[in-house]
Amino acid sequence: MKIEKIEIKNCRGINELVIDEELVPNKPNIFVAPNGFGKTSFAHAFKNIINHTSEKIDDDDRYNNDENNKASIEIQIDNNGQLENLRVDENNYSNTITRKFNISVITNPSFIKASSKNIGGRFHTKPTGKILINPIVIDKKVNKAEIPVTKSKLQSTFGTNGDKLFDFSVLFTNKLFVSYSITCLSEIQSICDEKTFKKLEEVRSKINEQNLPSSDICLIPELGKLINTNSKYKNLNLILSKFFNISEIKTFSLIWFLVYLCRNFKKKTVEYFEFERYNFYKKKLSSVIESLNSSKYKKASVKELQGELQVVIPEPKYISNGQRDVLLLVSFLYQVQLQLKGQNSILIIDELFDYLDDANLTVAQYYISQLIEDFKVSKRYLFPIILTHLNPAFFRNYVFQKQKVVFLNKEKYRVTPALQKLINVRDNPAIKDNVSQYLFHFNPNNFDFSSDLEKFNDVRSTWGKTGNFKNFLFEEYNKYKNQSSEEFDPLAICALTRVRIEEKVYSRLFEKKEEFLKQHKTGEKLKIALSTGIEIPEIYFLLRIIYDEGMHSSSEKNNTAAIEAKILNPIIKEMIIEAIK
């Protein structure tokens, strides 16, 4: 299954948002957009449809606060080549999205509690407030449940060799099995029919005919036939043998035990599985929270209160922001592990850790990776969507192995093919020095290497003559500066920013001019200028994130969308205009 498109209408700051990017399951998706774009509105729209048959939204949360703007979400999925449209809106009580997907939305749960403080006298009070975090409810408490029959009873029921085969007591000590247990129980129930059970009984009978030590019990033909003819059994056999690193005979005994339990004690077996899974994650969560308790004054804790498993977070004033955010994220991810039990799930994380330091951000990504791995193991689909205003290409904040970055703020821009090609071939020895010296850096001398550029298809040879390339850059800049309806080339803006900064600095030099021109790196040029004693505006250094990144774009690493997002930032745009004018 893949998500082909997401469309949201009329929710908070979103009038209409269409994301037509293919999202694949069990792979992090990083949605990048500037502050104020509507990332929280995106999360809010999905949060409003959880446990509802329609989009539940207050009038204040509709786009422009207009009651006529009805909110809706549409998702198009590709299910093995079959396109299916899912929808939920305010008018129709038919939520096909939550029929197909479990949804979880993680946002910052902090809130301000207002109060007043008496500062002397009956009518002299001062309003105050403090930030609080309610306990995070991980899941409902699951009551203790025992295995329906004793180990000795199971072994004797299996027969003569029952005591030599798989040790059922170690089942829920294996993390991989715990992750898989929901799916496992479902698949075990699919082979509980009388016909399949009869074949299992034939194999069990043959195993019991062997009066040998467990290490010498031989693979029998009936088991090989079962594996080769029953795809459901074959799949279970493959997964469980890998989890426990056991032989096919021991794997068979494990599967037989599980089938026997489901056939004879179905309800109690389900309760046993649910409790063991809950207990495993409870212990693990307690250990993780304890390891994250860096504050020695107030500590987070895991408690069972009011029929719920909760993580109690200290008041934010007692812990650092980074520790708070990591504790919250880990708590919510365990909540997702325990609560999202369906085949398909969508997880949305709204800027919960955009302000973490490098170490805590790495911790956060580790736990997200573990969650994804748990879904993979259990053969379920999770679509994690991380909303952020930080561009991973620049900040290098998200470094998942197989992440997909989607830029939501898609303005109109156009990369001139001839400029992209010129950037791609700039290191060709035939043109390298001239392109660097006269086109991508400032040089006051006249030049003509147009005949060299003619050798490269799709590169404008006229740019090899004095003034032509700079005129092209200014044409694109004027579209950008004047907010023209015409599309502009963001790479041209980067190039002109660099050239004009160098030109303005060069014009103020009284010495080291030749050394300045011979240097092929703008940063080094600025250092040369500083060494002469002149002052250089700070924005010339700050804008390196624009001109350096743009001039090293390539077809293999297309970062144009990231560059465009930067130069459209209103403050950065002011800086660029100031540098170029």
Side-chain angles (χ1 to χ4, degrees), residues 1-3 22-30 101-102 179 183 336 340 342-347 365 368-386 400-404:
M1 175 192 288
K2 300 175 185 176
I3 293 178
E22 183 182 86
L23 308 181
V24 298
N26 301 327
K27 175 180 177 180
N29 300 286
I30 318 295
F101 291 98
N102 290 152
S179 301
T183 306
V336 169
L340 297 186
Q343 180 65 27
N344 309 307
S345 297
I346 295 173
L347 169 63
Q365 291 178 81
I368 292 173
S369 299
Q370 291 297 299
L371 176 65
I372 292 172
E373 189 60 32
D374 283 349
F375 271 78
K376 284 182 182 178
V377 166
S378 62
K379 299 193 298 182
R380 294 181 294 150
Y381 293 149
L382 176 68
F383 292 87
I385 297 174
I386 301 171
F400 294 104
Q401 182 181 3
K402 295 181 179 180
Q403 67 186 25
K404 177 166 186 173

Side-chain angles (χ1 to χ4, degrees), residues 61-92:
D61 286 337
R62 290 194 182 89
Y63 182 69
N64 280 346
N65 297 331
D66 187 342
E67 63 180 10
N68 295 315
N69 290 332
K70 301 300 182 183
S72 65
I73 304 177
E74 289 190 33
I75 298 178
Q76 185 180 77
I77 62 173
D78 181 344
N79 205 349
N80 296 322
Q82 296 292 320
L83 293 180
E84 184 179 354
N85 293 311
L86 311 175
R87 179 180 172 84
V88 59
D89 57 36
E90 292 188 67
N91 299 324
N92 301 307

Side-chain angles (χ1 to χ4, degrees), residues 274-530:
E274 287 180 348
F275 170 74
E276 288 291 349
R277 182 173 179 271
Y278 166 87
N279 197 45
F280 177 90
Y281 283 122
K282 183 183 76 170
K283 290 178 180 178
K284 194 171 180 186
L285 175 61
S286 299
S287 174
V288 170
I289 295 298
E290 181 59 33
S291 69
L292 294 174
N293 270 325
S294 56
S295 173
K296 296 180 180 180
Y297 181 36
K298 297 280 187 176
K299 295 187 177 184
S301 59
V302 178
K303 297 180 179 179
E304 290 182 328
L305 299 169
Q306 301 174 338
E308 297 171 333
L309 180 65
Q310 301 179 359
V311 176
V312 181
I313 309 287
E315 289 183 32
K317 67 180 180 180
Y318 296 122
I319 57 178
S320 69
N321 291 339
Q323 184 190 5
R324 176 201 64 203
D325 289 345
V326 170
L327 285 167
L328 288 173
L329 177 69
V330 170
S331 300
F332 280 125
L333 291 181
Y334 271 87
Q335 179 190 77
V336 169
Q337 278 181 315
L338 279 165
Q339 292 187 12
L340 297 186
K341 299 177 182 178
Q343 180 65 27
N344 309 307
S345 297
I346 295 173
L347 169 63
I348 298 170
I349 303 175
D350 182 19
E351 291 193 302
L352 188 60
F353 40 78
D354 269 9
Y355 304 100
L356 292 178
D357 59 30
D358 290 345
N360 281 328
L361 187 56
T362 300
V363 170
Q365 291 178 81
Y366 167 74
Y367 283 109
I368 292 173
S369 299
Q370 291 297 299
L371 176 65
I372 292 172
E373 189 60 32
D374 283 349
F375 271 78
K376 284 182 182 178
V377 166
S378 62
K379 299 193 298 182
R380 294 181 294 150
Y381 293 149
L382 176 68
F383 292 87
I385 297 174
I386 301 171
L387 303 171
T388 179
H389 68 275
L390 303 176
N391 176 7
F394 175 66
F395 289 97
R396 300 176 186 267
N397 47 351
Y398 297 104
V399 290
F400 294 104
Q401 182 181 3
K402 295 181 179 180
Q403 67 186 25
K404 177 166 186 173
V405 178
V406 177
F407 292 94
L408 300 181
N409 190 22
K410 295 182 178 178
E411 300 288 340
K412 290 185 176 180
Y413 70 86
R414 165 195 46 78
V415 175
T416 307
L419 178 54
Q420 182 67 74
K421 182 62 180 290
L422 181 62
I423 293 172
N424 292 346
V425 300
R426 62 180 296 181
D427 289 330
N428 188 291
I431 59 172
K432 180 178 180 179
D433 290 339
N434 284 332
V435 167
S436 177
Q437 186 175 1
Y438 296 112
L439 301 188
F440 292 161
H441 291 279
F442 169 72
N443 193 297
N445 300 314
N446 292 329
F447 58 88
D448 184 354
F449 60 98
S450 54
S451 59
D452 293 330
L453 291 182
E454 287 177 355
K455 301 173 184 177
F456 297 90
N457 293 331
D458 302 324
V459 173
R460 296 180 190 175
S461 59
T462 54
W463 286 348
K465 291 185 178 181
T466 304
N468 290 339
F469 183 67
K470 194 172 184 180
N471 289 339
F472 158 75
L473 297 183
F474 267 107
E475 288 175 5
E476 297 301 314
Y477 168 71
N478 287 329
K479 298 174 190 174
Y480 164 74
K481 175 186 174 183
N482 300 325
Q483 296 181 323
S484 167
S485 59
E486 294 182 81
E487 297 174 334
F488 67 88
D489 187 335
L491 300 184
I493 308 306
C494 296
L496 184 61
T497 301
R498 171 190 274 177
V499 170
R500 283 292 292 147
I501 285 173
E502 292 181 7
E503 183 177 4
K504 291 166 83 170
V505 171
Y506 179 83
S507 68
R508 298 173 59 198
L509 288 175
F510 292 99
E511 56 179 306
K512 296 187 178 182
K513 285 192 170 185
E514 285 302 313
E515 183 181 350
F516 182 92
L517 293 177
K518 288 178 181 179
Q519 177 55 245
H520 285 229
K521 293 182 178 180
T522 304
E524 295 302 316
K525 287 176 181 284
L526 297 182
K527 288 180 182 179
I528 293 170
L530 285 172

Side-chain angles (χ1 to χ4, degrees), residues 147-157 168 260-261 265:
I147 189 169
V149 293
T150 64
K151 177 181 176 180
S152 59
K153 174 66 175 175
L154 273 174
Q155 290 175 336
S156 64
T157 303
F168 197 86
Y260 173 80
L261 291 173
F265 312 96

Side-chain angles (χ1 to χ4, degrees), residues 119-148:
I119 57 175
R122 182 178 177 185
F123 301 105
H124 295 82
T125 60
K126 179 182 179 181
T128 62
K130 59 181 179 180
I131 299 175
L132 297 176
I133 301 172
N134 284 329
I136 309 302
V137 178
I138 304 301
D139 202 1
K140 293 180 180 178
K141 178 183 176 181
V142 177
N143 293 325
K144 186 174 182 179
E146 303 283 355
I147 189 169

Side-chain angles (χ1 to χ4, degrees), residues 538-573:
E538 192 67 29
I539 64 170
Y540 291 6
F541 293 93
L542 298 177
L543 286 173
R544 289 184 66 179
I545 67 168
I546 303 300
Y547 54 74
D548 279 351
E549 187 171 353
M551 292 299 90
H552 293 90
S553 177
S554 68
S555 55
E556 289 78 21
K557 184 183 178 182
N558 188 348
N559 57 352
T560 309
I563 295 168
E564 186 250 3
K566 288 191 185 76
I567 66 176
L568 286 175
N569 179 286
I571 304 303
I572 292 180
K573 187 171 183 177

